[in-house]
Amino acid sequence: MRFVYSCFLFISCLSVKAQNNSFYKEKYRPQFHFTPPIHWMNDPNGLVYHKGEYHLFYQFNPFGNRWGHMSWGHAVSKDLLHWQHLPLAIPEEKDTMIFSGSCVTDVANSAGFATDKNQQPMVAIYTAHIEGKNQSQHIAYSLDDGRTWIKYNANPVLDLGKRDFRDPKVFWYAPHRKWVMVVVYPNEKEIKFYTSKNLKQWNLMSSFGPAGDTNGIWECPDLFEVPVKDQPGKTKWVLMHSPAPYMQYFIGEFDGEKFVNDNSNTKIYRPDYGPDYYAAITFNGLEKNQNPISIGWINNWNYANDIPTSPWKSAMSIPRKLCVKKINNEWVLIQQPVEQVKTLRQNEMTWKNITVTKNHRLPLNSQTLELEVEFTAAGETSGVRLAKDNDHFIEIGYDAKKQLLYIDRSKAGTAEFNPSFAKLSRYETAVAATTAKTIKLRIFFDKSIVEVFANEGEAVMTAQLFPEEAAGGIELFSTGKPAVFNMVKFYSLQSAR
């Protein structure tokens, strides 16, 4: 208990300092992406909307800037942009770390944790990890809207005696009036579906996998219902998870017991085709008929511990609003930044019909920006360079002949902190031009993060970079034939701190 109390006091002090802006002025520190005040952070956990607040829990090391001592950090927000840091929610205890999981509002008090009829307990479902020995599913509950947490005295609620069995995502399946848990066998590349009436006793229903990307271990599953774009009333189900160090999804149907994939089981579909997006999950408890909203971890396990940031490490993505669309007879996940991001916009500038033969420097210098670009897919490659300073920049381009969107950060700044970072510098994905032969990009640059949404969110790419603070130039480029940039719109974005 002394360990728990010390953690609580420590993180309480940090949260007070964070609110007073003692942090968030460091080199590379994102200004509109969520980061902890200090120390290591990885997977988002327990995303839930409860009584007007968005709750973000996350894997957190209270004692250092590298992975270890996994516990649940905690923050809340009214708008998904401005976050209030709260004390440590669920701490490591003795030999048991607190790994990833989810959180629900137990409206009907199915678990029996409420002490009076007006309470709506929040229940966290997470993996208890004993290094090298066992992973099992535990629960904890809160009767004060997530401010303090009590571990269930009869844990574990699901223990198969396995060394690797983790990351439960739990949600309420209304048609059958039951809880559903989605959890993984990482090494077997299988996702298991369990059911419960009370969050305490769980029964296996079905499994899915292996399928798609089976190169890495499988982690952090999620299953959620999504609207079909431009088809009111129609929905599909998305099964999303993280084959390390990337992510993939499947789109199909879920009948309350099993998931059936409607796309190919061999083709890989990713929610993000860049190097730095992992462990994304969606919020529970959103209002009815609201699109699902997801948040992912911006980092890559190949170099995550070594990125050159201090006193914090890692960030969360811009929250993304989700739907699906059928393109060329394949179901595709469509992702867009939540609308609230627009409230940060200022200093709008617009250019139209710029013909670019080699390069064209815009009269701007910024590392916290949003850029909307629409250009004709002509020539060999064309696009945008950000963090431009002499020969340094990150290139976001489109190869018109191959119909490939790419990110290349090989010239973007420091990379010597880990050899894998330099090796993993260029990423690409197929993106077809519109019927008007144009490419539309919506780009967010935030100090050390770039997120690119192509053609209204049909493909997304996220990458970290570590430029010098003065490297804020913006350049349009084209190789081969001239490219016409029909529209370029710039916004500087206010800090959300």
Side-chain angles (χ1 to χ4, degrees), residues 479-493:
T479 63
K481 296 179 181 179
V484 177
F485 287 76
N486 308 315
M487 187 274 293
V488 178
K489 186 172 289 188
F490 164 88
Y491 304 92
S492 60
L493 295 186

Side-chain angles (χ1 to χ4, degrees), residues 113-303:
F113 291 133
T115 56
D116 69 57
K117 63 180 181 180
N118 295 318
Q119 290 174 335
Q120 290 188 351
M122 297 176 71
V123 180
I125 309 94
Y126 59 90
T127 296
H129 171 85
I130 301 175
E131 189 70 23
K133 295 182 179 180
N134 181 265
Q135 291 183 342
S136 59
Q137 314 321 315
H138 288 214
I139 60 177
Y141 63 95
S142 173
L143 301 179
D144 57 2
D145 302 323
R147 268 52 183 181
T148 59
W149 291 84
I150 302 168
K151 293 175 182 176
Y152 178 44
N153 60 11
N155 279 324
V157 295
L158 183 57
D159 185 2
L160 304 183
K162 291 179 68 66
R163 178 175 172 174
D164 293 290
F165 171 51
R166 61 179 173 269
D167 307 338
K169 174 63 188 291
V170 173
F171 65 93
W172 178 251
Y173 186 72
H176 293 179
R177 297 191 57 77
K178 66 182 184 181
W179 299 104
V180 171
M181 177 193 291
V182 191
V183 63
V184 289
Y185 288 7
N187 299 312
E188 295 88 341
K189 282 85 170 179
E190 290 183 351
I191 298 173
K192 301 293 184 179
F193 303 90
Y194 285 81
T195 185
S196 174
K197 292 293 185 181
N198 60 8
L199 296 168
K200 295 175 179 177
Q201 286 85 36
W202 294 91
N203 298 306
L204 179 66
M205 296 188 295
S206 63
S207 63
F208 178 86
D213 185 352
T214 58
N215 290 317
I217 60 170
W218 283 19
E219 297 186 309
C220 305
D222 194 3
L223 177 66
F224 49 94
E225 192 172 14
V226 292
V228 177
K229 187 176 182 180
D230 301 325
Q231 296 187 40
K234 292 190 176 182
T235 63
K236 300 293 287 185
W237 285 81
V238 176
L239 179 60
M240 187 166 68
H241 74 101
S242 298
Y246 305 112
M247 291 194 67
Q248 71 173 343
Y249 67 82
F250 306 92
I251 298 177
E253 298 295 340
F254 179 68
D255 63 1
E257 294 187 5
K258 63 181 181 300
F259 173 82
V260 177
N261 181 30
D262 285 352
N263 284 336
S264 167
N265 273 346
T266 57
K267 185 174 179 179
I268 298 171
Y269 300 82
R270 300 204 189 279
D272 196 292
Y273 290 91
D276 294 310
Y277 189 79
Y278 195 74
I281 57 172
T282 57
F283 278 90
N284 282 324
L286 296 180
E287 295 177 0
K288 193 175 180 179
N289 299 323
Q290 185 176 351
N291 286 50
I293 295 172
S294 68
I295 292 178
W297 177 52
I298 297 180
N299 215 331
N300 185 306
W301 283 115
N302 285 296
Y303 45 76

Side-chain angles (χ1 to χ4, degrees), residues 8-169:
F8 184 87
L9 289 179
F10 180 64
I11 303 301
S12 294
C13 292
L14 288 183
S15 64
V16 170
K17 288 183 180 179
Q19 312 314 324
N20 292 332
N21 293 319
S22 298
F23 301 106
Y24 298 101
K25 297 178 182 178
E26 304 90 350
K27 185 179 182 180
Y28 305 136
R29 173 78 84 165
Q31 295 300 300
F32 54 89
H33 287 78
F34 177 87
T35 54
I38 69 170
H39 292 342
W40 168 274
M41 174 184 74
N42 57 287
D43 307 354
N45 295 158
L47 302 186
V48 64
Y49 184 70
H50 174 85
K51 294 186 179 180
E53 289 183 321
Y54 296 94
H55 289 257
L56 166 61
F57 301 89
Y58 52 91
Q59 292 286 279
F60 183 65
N61 181 357
F63 301 109
N65 207 19
R66 298 176 70 85
W67 186 93
H69 298 288
M70 287 293 95
S71 303
W72 274 26
H74 189 195
V76 294
S77 174
K78 296 288 188 180
D79 64 359
L80 291 167
L81 295 176
H82 301 84
W83 294 92
Q84 176 189 357
H85 297 280
L86 295 179
L88 196 70
I90 307 176
E92 172 194 35
E93 191 170 1
K94 296 181 180 178
D95 62 349
T96 304
M97 287 193 270
I98 313 301
F99 270 26
S100 291
S102 50
C103 186
V104 298
T105 300
D106 189 7
V107 177
N109 192 34
S110 66
F113 291 133
T115 56
D116 69 57
K117 63 180 181 180
N118 295 318
Q119 290 174 335
Q120 290 188 351
M122 297 176 71
V123 180
I125 309 94
Y126 59 90
T127 296
H129 171 85
I130 301 175
E131 189 70 23
K133 295 182 179 180
N134 181 265
Q135 291 183 342
S136 59
Q137 314 321 315
H138 288 214
I139 60 177
Y141 63 95
S142 173
L143 301 179
D144 57 2
D145 302 323
R147 268 52 183 181
T148 59
W149 291 84
I150 302 168
K151 293 175 182 176
Y152 178 44
N153 60 11
N155 279 324
V157 295
L158 183 57
D159 185 2
L160 304 183
K162 291 179 68 66
R163 178 175 172 174
D164 293 290
F165 171 51
R166 61 179 173 269
D167 307 338
K169 174 63 188 291

Side-chain angles (χ1 to χ4, degrees), residues 412-427:
T414 185
E416 66 276 3
F417 53 88
N418 186 299
S420 292
F421 188 83
K423 291 177 182 178
L424 302 173
S425 62
R426 183 185 171 95
Y427 285 74

Side-chain angles (χ1 to χ4, degrees), residues 280-330:
I281 57 172
T282 57
F283 278 90
N284 282 324
L286 296 180
E287 295 177 0
K288 193 175 180 179
N289 299 323
Q290 185 176 351
N291 286 50
I293 295 172
S294 68
I295 292 178
W297 177 52
I298 297 180
N299 215 331
N300 185 306
W301 283 115
N302 285 296
Y303 45 76
N305 273 294
D306 298 326
I307 62 171
T309 63
S310 180
W312 86 102
K313 194 157 287 176
S314 295
M316 295 300 182
S317 69
I318 293 173
R320 300 178 182 181
K321 182 177 68 173
L322 311 179
C323 65
V324 297
K325 179 181 178 181
K326 206 164 195 179
I327 302 174
N328 296 327
N329 208 36
E330 297 177 317

